[in-house]
Amino acid sequence: MKGAVVYYSRYGNNEKTAKAVMQGLEESGQEVDLINAKDKKELAAGYEFLVVGSPTRAGRTSGPVKKFIKKNVGDDWKGKPFAAFGTCLNRACEKGEPTAAKDIHKELSQRGLHPVTEAFDNAVSGMKGPLAPDGEESAREFGRKVGESLAG
Ligand SMILES: Cc1cc2nc3c(=O)[nH]c(=O)nc-3n(C[C@H](O)[C@H](O)[C@H](O)COP(=O)(O)O)c2cc1C
């Protein structure tokens, strides 16, 4: 299947996460375009799945990703598969506080898309990072899992 990984990143941690998720998707046989929400590109009509990620802002999705979803994810996306990921402060997300990944998961579900798995939170140790030492590998694993669910 062909789809897109859409992300935004201010300090680079969610970008690393997005690239690792993309790698995992490709390893499981999916074809993927990487789109930075800030570039304001449109989603091509032929995409069959969507994977969206954002850094957490006050427990919610960052502005560029929110805007991207509002502009690009309309009724034509209803019933299509999606997965959500994001970065969050370890002291917040490990306590189960609200995160961008969970917010995106809820938003896309409400728009009628079908989740292939739970939202994936990738923890950073401070505002600017870094990710945990196994953070990129965990993101790659998440991408592989999403890709396998899409295939099977
Ligand atoms: C204005 C602002 C608000 C934030 N609010 C939260 C928050 O509510 N919860 C949280 O876990 N992290 C919060 N963070 C920290 C972000 O999670 C962190 O900066 C981000 O995940 C790093 O990703 P990036 O390198 O891709 O920008 C906030 C950061 C900023 C700048």
Side-chain angles (χ1 to χ4, degrees):
M1 290 170 83
K2 176 154 187 174
V5 171
V6 178
Y7 75 98
Y8 166 70
S9 181
R10 179 160 171 188
Y11 303 113
N13 301 281
N14 198 49
E15 182 167 60
K16 281 186 189 154
T17 303
K19 287 181 176 168
V21 169
M22 180 179 172
Q23 200 184 346
L25 281 160
E26 287 174 344
E27 281 166 8
S28 55
Q30 307 300 335
E31 205 183 320
V32 192
D33 288 337
L34 186 66
I35 299 175
N36 186 335
K38 270 229 126 168
D39 293 343
K40 298 184 181 142
K41 278 195 202 139
E42 293 190 358
L43 284 176
Y47 289 136
E48 295 160 281
F49 68 89
L50 194 56
V51 181
V52 183
S54 168
T56 302
R57 290 284 179 274
R60 306 290 298 274
T61 309
S62 62
V65 172
K66 260 192 225 167
K67 278 190 206 138
F68 188 93
I69 292 173
K70 200 169 169 200
K71 186 161 169 245
N72 289 285
V73 186
D75 284 350
D76 51 328
W77 273 92
K78 279 193 175 157
K80 290 192 184 176
F82 85 91
F85 67 92
T87 47
C88 47
L89 289 170
N90 55 10
R91 64 174 181 273
C93 53
E94 282 161 14
K95 273 195 287 174
E97 287 183 10
T99 64
K102 293 191 190 92
D103 193 35
I104 292 166
H105 189 95
K106 193 171 147 203
E107 178 65 33
L108 293 181
S109 299
Q110 281 172 351
R111 285 175 186 259
L113 283 76
H114 174 68
V116 298
T117 186
E118 297 290 296
F120 168 62
D121 285 319
N122 211 8
V124 291
S125 53
M127 282 284 187
K128 298 184 178 178
L131 292 166
D134 64 349
E136 281 176 81
E137 185 48 42
S138 303
R140 197 169 139 198
E141 181 64 45
F142 171 76
R144 269 199 297 267
K145 193 169 82 176
V146 171
E148 282 160 15
S149 306
L150 289 167

